[in-house]
Amino acid sequence: MKHAITPELKEKKNSSVNSKTIKWFIGSMSLLLIVLLFLLPVIRLFIMSFKNDDQFSFINYTTILAEASTWSMLRNTIIVVIGSTLLALVIGITLAWIIAYTDVRWKKVMQVLIIIPFVIPSYIVTIAWTQFTGSIDFIDINLKSHLGIIFVLGTSHFPLVYLFTVNVLKRIPKELEWAVRSSGGSKWVAFKEVTIPLALPGIVGGGMIAFLSNLDNFGIPAILGIPANITVLSTAIYQEVIGFGPNAFARAATLSVILAIVALLGSGLQWFLLKKSKVNETASVDDSPRYTLGRRKKWLEIVVWIFLVGISIIPLVSMVKTSLIRAYGLEFIRENITLKHYRYVLFEYDKAIQSMGTSLKLALITTIFCIVFGTIIAYIRMRKPSVIMRFVEVIVGFPYALPGTVMALSMIFAWMQPIPGWNPGIYGTIWILLIAYITRFMILQVRGSMTAISQVSMDLEEAAHVFGANTLDKWKVILLPLLLPGIISGAFLVLLTTLTELTVSSLLWSSGTETIGVVIYNFEQSGYTTHSTAFSVVVLAMMLVLALIVYGIQYVWKWRLNKG
Amino acid sequence: MSTILKDVKKTFGNFQALKGIDLTIGDGEFVAIVGPSGCGKTTLLRLIAGFEEPTAGQIYMHDELIASATTCVAPEKRNLGMVFQAFALWPHMKVKEQVAFPLKYHRFAEASLKENKAKRVEEMLMLVGLQDFAERMPGDLSGGQKQRVAIARALAPSPALLLMDEPLSSLDAKLRIELRNEIQTIHRKTNTSIVYVTHDQSEALAMADKIVVMNNGTIEQVGTPKEIYFTPRTEFVARFIGKANVLKGRWHENYFYPLEKEDVKWQVPNVTDSMKMQSICPIRPEQLSLSKSGNGLSGVVRNVLFQGRETHFTVDIGTALIDIVESIDASFQVGDQVIVHPKEQKSKLM
């Protein structure tokens, strides 16, 4: 700055020293709070697994690992997780290649159908699949088996592989494939030597997320596995906790550490694989088709449509049919159709009505918290990157990276007695759910807002300051209008995920604070299939309405922005 | 061993990208296809390469039909190599692997080249001056080095036809001149037929044996650089290649009366009959001169651009703006009243 220092400016300098101390104080307090909320519970869980009678010991591990049931449970976990991840990879990569490179029509509609199984809560998808397979008479399909769990997990999580891969595929410049062709290589050589190696970051990234999701998932192995005595890590922890046996918490903590280690190994492997590859993030997306299929196009389209409709729509139709039937098992004919199950879950059964209120309330408050604090964290992380902020990003992501059951258990330990001897009465109330949701899903908003902020270049902000705007004006007039669509996308994800959450809720709910997921799961467990299907349909309708509202807001906003 | 295009047409939906192209690329010939963006030159190149299929017409290579509305031989089955605008180096392969790649897959490469890959790779890298970079990854190379690797890769299997798609447009001015010379040298050494697409007329003039000027999906003129430069057949070619002023006026007995003024009579050499029929006259900036007074078109200097070797003037003659290149001795200022007239004719220009 070349300006002469006027008295006025001098004064400002003094006050800025003062405000620097305040800033520093606020900063370190926030950091402390983030560590306490996001990191400490996990550390306590870890310590808990090494405790026996207040003494440090490995006894929890030695006992658990000595039990035969643990090993069969671990074997189940490996079979189910690896099988479903492979399935997700095969489906996800195939669809990504077709959508990114071929000239099939109606790609946008296909993409919506691809996302459906991922957006719908997995326990609802599972209920839908059991209804569908139950309705087929000519083959006896038993979903309550290893293969069944693999199938439902794989078809629920392939969209993750798809989303990661399709974006990377579209960013591979087509000239790289053309260079192979003009060097004498065939289409197959181009695919093998260039497309696959360059798409690897996307494939590995998507595959790892699918792996973690398969490992973490509770709804699917709970509904399909528990009745068939197929226990995996996530359901094993749940059963320990609700079993309330002696040492239940310590045992659950031990299993959690094992599960977390598997999950962390997965994340570490991904980090290792991706570190070596060079992703060209700056390459622009090329949407134009690269392979004209000619006469084969029609056939491929038919196959894709049958697959997508079969996987996304038909199970849901079966579920709707079950929800309309007078009594489970009756034929679907006019005399047997009734709305009484809907009447029951919407107006008669208090717990169902109450759970909708609870979940909506929790989802809204969580979303608002995440929007405010997630965006602040994202902004500081993007605009003033530092080691501390990268650390903050990692910590905030921790509760989400952990399997849900592990995360829930760590919440119980952290809030039952935050300081030994002091029980603030949070565990067993709705507050623990709120705290758990906010800490678990904060990272979704942080990521969403970070993406939005990265798309607004720094000079736009500098320009605002140059033309005389202060920080508040800048946010009001420049940043918020530009960031809003991105922030809303993140917030919408938080809202939907929270609204239908089951894994964390299944361990943290108490009488009177049942969430939607818990009520549907309890219906299903108690065999009230007509009620669980009816309530699932209601929840899907709710999600659809929310999606339409959010889509409408974004549409109007973008339209206004383009017009203005 | 030549490539022949017969009435080749290409449409994308309702857009007619190529409206009937006839062209012969002779053996060992360096053909530059030049035109503004969107003129169809890149589409034409992709048709020759086999990345697009023609809507109508035929393409022959070595007397063999390689593309028509019904047949299309895959790119890898045509005896060619290609250099792309954005280099298209595979980011996961070392420089030597890039160059060795076509030696492994190109079906027209001679057995002797395929057998001794390492030697050929070294030879090619030597040719483009990158013998010390064999172990590098593309990410560690500068733009000019990347393009050299791309050229080495395309030439390694010694293809009968080398296609180059604006290979220098993503490089800076100095490198462009340097690589221009290099490509010419390589062409002389290897004697490969080259089709070189560019939007830069000076590149085409400097390098090619034959220039094809394209506009709006059609060929405006084919000829040697000198023919195209000195005797443009259409107004477009005159403007695009020679940066010529195209003046309206009257032709009478080989004299041009600009703006139909009876008192101004110019002798302009090498104007084609089709131009004369249209009552227009192309005249390049360096063919014109400025004076304070005399016979010519009077106008006002609007712009003066000092270029070092010469000075560019823009003169407003009321009905048009005229560009004139003068020696740096000409000392006219913006706002000066001037007279525009042709330079003293030098006999060798005729």
Side-chain angles (χ1 to χ4, degrees):
Chain A
M1 283 279 182
K2 280 180 185 168
H3 302 290
I5 297 177
T6 58
E8 211 179 326
L9 274 171
K10 256 186 190 162
E11 224 163 80
K12 248 190 175 169
K13 227 182 166 187
N14 276 336
S15 73
S16 82
V17 171
N18 223 337
S19 75
K20 234 180 192 170
T21 348
I22 295 171
K23 263 189 186 168
W24 185 85
F25 181 73
I26 294 175
S28 41
M29 279 296 120
S30 319
L31 191 63
L32 185 70
L33 195 67
I34 287 172
V35 170
L36 284 178
L37 280 173
F38 290 83
L39 191 59
L40 198 65
V42 186
I43 295 173
R44 291 184 65 160
L45 174 84
F46 188 72
I47 294 169
M48 185 80 173
S49 73
F50 291 103
K51 252 190 187 169
N52 188 266
D53 292 337
D54 279 335
Q55 297 278 313
F56 175 85
S57 101
F58 284 105
I59 193 148
N60 295 322
Y61 288 88
T62 48
T63 348
I64 284 180
L65 292 178
E67 289 164 13
S69 62
T70 306
W71 291 104
S72 84
M73 179 269 287
L74 284 175
R75 212 192 61 221
N76 286 336
T77 310
I78 289 169
I79 292 172
V80 161
V81 169
I82 290 183
S84 52
T85 304
L86 287 179
L87 183 63
L89 277 171
V90 170
I91 303 175
I93 294 171
T94 310
L95 283 173
W97 189 85
I98 291 173
I99 301 275
Y101 284 170
T102 71
D103 59 343
V104 293
R105 289 161 296 180
W106 297 86
K107 283 182 183 172
K108 283 204 170 135
V109 188
M110 284 182 181
Q111 184 135 335
V112 170
L113 286 181
I114 289 173
I115 306 300
I116 283 180
F118 177 63
V119 176
I120 297 178
S122 60
Y123 54 92
I124 294 185
V125 172
T126 317
I127 292 170
W129 274 113
T130 50
Q131 293 320 305
F132 175 63
T133 50
S135 70
I136 302 175
D137 300 326
F138 51 91
I139 333 172
D140 186 27
I141 302 169
N142 181 17
L143 276 185
K144 295 181 174 166
S145 63
H146 283 112
L147 276 179
I149 299 173
I150 287 174
F151 176 77
V152 180
L153 277 173
T155 50
S156 296
H157 292 142
F158 82 83
L160 291 166
V161 179
Y162 167 83
L163 286 173
F164 272 68
T165 311
V166 81
N167 277 321
V168 178
L169 283 179
K170 282 183 182 173
R171 280 176 202 277
I172 299 174
K174 63 164 156 279
E175 283 77 16
L176 294 185
E177 286 178 39
W178 285 2
V180 172
R181 308 293 301 283
S182 66
S183 298
S186 61
K187 283 179 189 173
W188 169 243
V189 172
F191 180 74
K192 179 179 68 141
E193 299 283 344
V194 169
T195 311
I196 287 292
L198 292 181
L200 210 59
I203 295 172
V204 171
M208 275 306 150
I209 299 274
F211 168 83
L212 292 177
S213 305
N214 289 330
L215 186 66
D216 162 66
N217 192 287
F218 170 73
I220 295 169
I223 293 175
L224 297 179
I226 290 177
N229 252 332
I230 302 171
T231 318
V232 296
L233 265 166
S234 61
T235 49
I237 295 167
Y238 170 78
Q239 283 173 321
E240 284 293 349
V241 174
I242 59 160
F244 279 116
N247 256 336
F249 277 169
R251 286 175 62 89
T254 310
L255 287 175
S256 295
V257 171
I258 296 173
L259 181 51
I261 287 171
V262 178
L264 284 178
L265 281 180
S267 305
L269 185 68
Q270 178 200 6
W271 176 81
F272 176 76
L273 284 171
L274 292 190
K275 199 183 67 157
K276 279 173 65 182
S277 66
K278 291 176 186 127
V279 204
N280 193 358
E281 287 292 345
T282 52
S284 56
V285 168
D286 178 4
D287 269 325
S288 60
R290 303 177 184 194
Y291 291 93
T292 39
L293 296 167
R295 287 172 61 197
R296 285 164 298 171
K297 183 163 86 177
K298 209 165 53 189
W299 295 108
L300 184 69
E301 282 175 342
I302 290 172
V303 172
V304 172
W305 281 114
I306 289 177
F307 175 78
L308 288 179
V309 170
I311 232 160
S312 306
I313 305 289
I314 289 181
L316 295 181
V317 173
S318 297
M319 184 171 78
V320 174
K321 271 163 78 178
T322 309
S323 71
L324 290 169
I325 216 118
R326 195 153 44 80
Y328 191 65
L330 289 180
E331 214 178 321
F332 194 72
I333 46 172
R334 185 186 278 214
E335 293 87 80
N336 291 338
I337 291 176
T338 171
L339 285 175
K340 73 171 184 186
H341 310 303
Y342 287 92
R343 203 171 54 230
Y344 179 75
V345 297
L346 282 175
F347 302 111
E348 290 165 11
Y349 185 58
D350 289 342
K351 284 228 155 95
I353 305 155
Q354 195 188 42
S355 74
M356 281 191 275
T358 307
S359 282
L360 264 178
K361 219 167 20 186
L362 282 169
L364 282 175
I365 298 172
T366 305
T367 308
I368 291 166
F369 256 90
C370 287
I371 287 180
V372 175
F373 293 103
T375 307
I376 292 175
I377 293 172
Y379 184 80
I380 302 174
R381 167 74 184 86
M382 293 298 287
R383 291 298 194 237
K384 298 182 176 80
S386 62
V387 183
I388 295 177
M389 283 319 290
R390 243 173 291 154
F391 174 68
V392 166
E393 194 196 340
V394 171
I395 293 185
V396 171
F398 227 78
Y400 188 71
L402 282 179
T405 35
V406 177
M407 193 269 166
L409 196 63
S410 77
M411 282 287 132
I412 298 178
F413 294 146
W415 295 98
M416 208 159 46
Q417 284 194 349
I419 301 162
W422 176 57
N423 184 351
I426 284 175
Y427 177 53
T429 67
I430 196 167
W431 292 102
I432 188 133
L433 280 168
L434 184 64
I435 295 171
Y437 285 172
I438 291 173
T439 47
R440 184 155 164 88
F441 300 126
M442 180 69 80
I443 190 68
L444 295 178
Q445 184 67 55
V446 172
R447 293 269 159 76
S449 297
M450 271 170 75
T451 313
I453 292 165
S454 72
Q455 279 157 2
V456 175
S457 85
M458 190 67 199
D459 15 325
L460 289 182
E461 288 185 50
E462 285 165 354
H465 283 304
V466 168
F467 294 118
N470 60 26
T471 307
L472 194 69
D473 289 337
K474 179 183 79 182
W475 273 91
K476 223 167 58 187
V477 185
I478 309 289
L479 283 178
L480 279 183
L482 291 174
L483 297 181
L484 207 69
I487 293 178
I488 287 181
S489 299
F492 180 54
L493 193 59
V494 174
L495 186 74
L496 277 195
T497 326
T498 323
L499 189 69
T500 58
E501 211 286 330
L502 171 64
T503 317
V504 171
S505 327
S506 71
L507 285 177
L508 297 182
W509 69 278
S510 47
S511 186
T513 67
E514 288 94 342
T515 62
I516 288 174
V518 169
V519 169
I520 293 180
Y521 179 62
N522 286 344
F523 274 144
E524 186 67 20
Q525 272 222 311
S526 327
Y528 296 119
T529 310
T530 47
H531 294 156
S532 72
T533 50
F535 201 31
S536 295
V537 174
V538 171
V539 172
L540 288 185
M542 256 167 88
M543 290 173 72
L544 189 66
V545 170
L546 282 175
L548 288 177
I549 291 173
V550 169
Y551 183 74
I553 292 175
Q554 279 190 325
Y555 185 81
V556 170
W557 195 263
K558 275 188 186 152
W559 179 73
R560 266 179 52 186
L561 212 61
N562 290 339
K563 225 179 98 193
Chain B
M1 295 285 263
S2 58
T3 306
I4 299 161
L5 287 83
K6 279 188 182 157
D7 196 27
V8 170
K9 289 176 183 153
K10 177 71 187 175
T11 48
F12 296 104
N14 290 326
F15 175 67
Q16 226 182 331
L18 294 176
K19 299 168 183 165
I21 301 289
D22 288 289
L23 183 65
T24 303
I25 299 145
D27 194 17
E29 207 170 24
F30 192 139
V31 179
I33 301 176
V34 60
S37 58
C39 72
K41 56 189 193 298
T42 298
T43 306
L44 184 62
L45 197 74
R46 287 180 185 173
L47 283 172
I48 300 174
F51 299 129
E52 305 271 6
E53 294 170 31
T55 315
Q58 297 91 36
I59 304 175
Y60 296 90
M61 238 172 144
H62 324 312
D63 302 325
E64 187 194 336
L65 180 68
I66 54 163
S68 70
T70 47
T71 53
C72 185
V73 175
E76 64 267 25
K77 293 177 187 159
R78 303 178 181 194
N79 189 356
L80 48 82
M82 186 154 175
V83 178
F84 297 86
Q85 184 174 2
F87 321 130
L89 296 185
W90 303 299
H92 57 304
M93 291 186 204
K94 286 179 186 168
V95 166
K96 63 172 188 187
E97 291 168 332
Q98 312 261 353
V99 181
F101 191 94
L103 294 174
K104 185 172 169 193
Y105 290 107
H106 209 285
R107 66 196 69 204
F108 296 96
E110 279 173 40
S112 61
L113 299 180
K114 289 190 163 211
E115 273 160 25
N116 207 339
K117 280 199 198 77
K119 188 172 153 263
R120 178 66 173 171
V121 169
E122 213 184 302
E123 199 180 300
M124 293 321 294
L125 289 179
M126 198 92 86
L127 183 70
V128 295
L130 288 178
Q131 55 275 30
D132 298 332
F133 293 81
E135 299 294 330
R136 299 272 189 104
M137 298 299 278
D140 305 330
L141 300 177
S142 70
Q145 290 167 338
K146 281 183 190 165
Q147 199 54 293
R148 287 194 176 94
V149 175
I151 292 169
R153 175 177 70 182
L155 285 173
S158 187
L161 180 63
L162 178 63
L163 306 173
M164 301 181 112
D165 184 10
E166 308 222 14
L168 305 184
S169 64
S170 37
L171 303 175
D172 64 50
K174 188 172 162 283
L175 260 176
R176 272 211 293 275
I177 305 287
E178 201 181 309
L179 270 171
R180 217 189 249 187
N181 292 334
E182 240 169 85
I183 291 172
Q184 252 193 336
T185 314
I186 289 170
H187 176 239
R188 267 200 305 276
K189 277 190 198 162
T190 58
N191 206 32
T192 309
S193 310
I194 293 180
V195 179
Y196 186 104
V197 162
T198 176
H199 65 269
D200 181 345
Q201 98 290 353
S202 68
E203 228 169 79
L205 289 170
M207 299 166 80
D209 300 325
K210 185 156 97 183
I211 292 182
V212 178
V213 185
M214 283 187 69
N215 187 32
N216 276 330
T218 55
I219 292 180
E220 292 263 338
Q221 191 174 351
V222 180
T224 64
K226 280 186 181 163
E227 278 167 11
I228 297 272
Y229 190 76
F230 290 122
T231 51
R233 230 176 279 144
T234 66
E235 186 182 340
F236 174 82
V237 176
R239 283 186 192 278
F240 192 79
I241 302 291
K243 303 287 174 217
N245 302 291
V246 178
L247 294 176
K248 285 201 175 82
R250 190 165 58 86
W251 283 95
H252 185 67
E253 291 169 350
N254 274 335
Y255 287 99
F256 180 63
Y257 298 85
L259 309 174
E260 307 196 20
K261 288 187 176 173
E262 289 304 324
D263 53 335
V264 183
K265 176 171 131 183
W266 289 356
Q267 194 183 16
V268 184
N270 297 329
V271 177
T272 57
D273 287 341
S274 68
M275 298 274 207
K276 290 180 178 170
M277 299 274 281
Q278 293 174 60
S279 303
I280 51 175
C281 175
I283 185 157
R284 292 187 307 281
E286 72 272 17
Q287 288 177 297
L288 291 168
S289 189
L290 291 179
S291 313
K292 289 266 184 225
S293 58
N295 182 273
L297 299 170
S298 63
V300 183
V301 176
R302 282 277 175 255
N303 229 333
V304 180
L305 297 173
F306 175 69
Q307 299 278 300
R309 203 177 309 160
E310 66 224 5
T311 308
H312 293 188
F313 293 94
T314 307
V315 175
D316 187 351
I317 56 162
T319 49
L321 293 173
I322 296 185
D323 294 322
I324 295 126
V325 173
E326 268 281 16
S327 71
I328 48 165
D329 307 328
S331 54
F332 299 97
Q333 307 289 317
V334 172
D336 282 1
Q337 285 286 337
V338 289
I339 301 295
V340 181
H341 56 84
K343 272 200 183 98
E344 301 284 300
Q345 296 303 326
K346 289 174 194 160
S347 54
K348 63 177 175 184
L349 254 182
M350 304 293 280

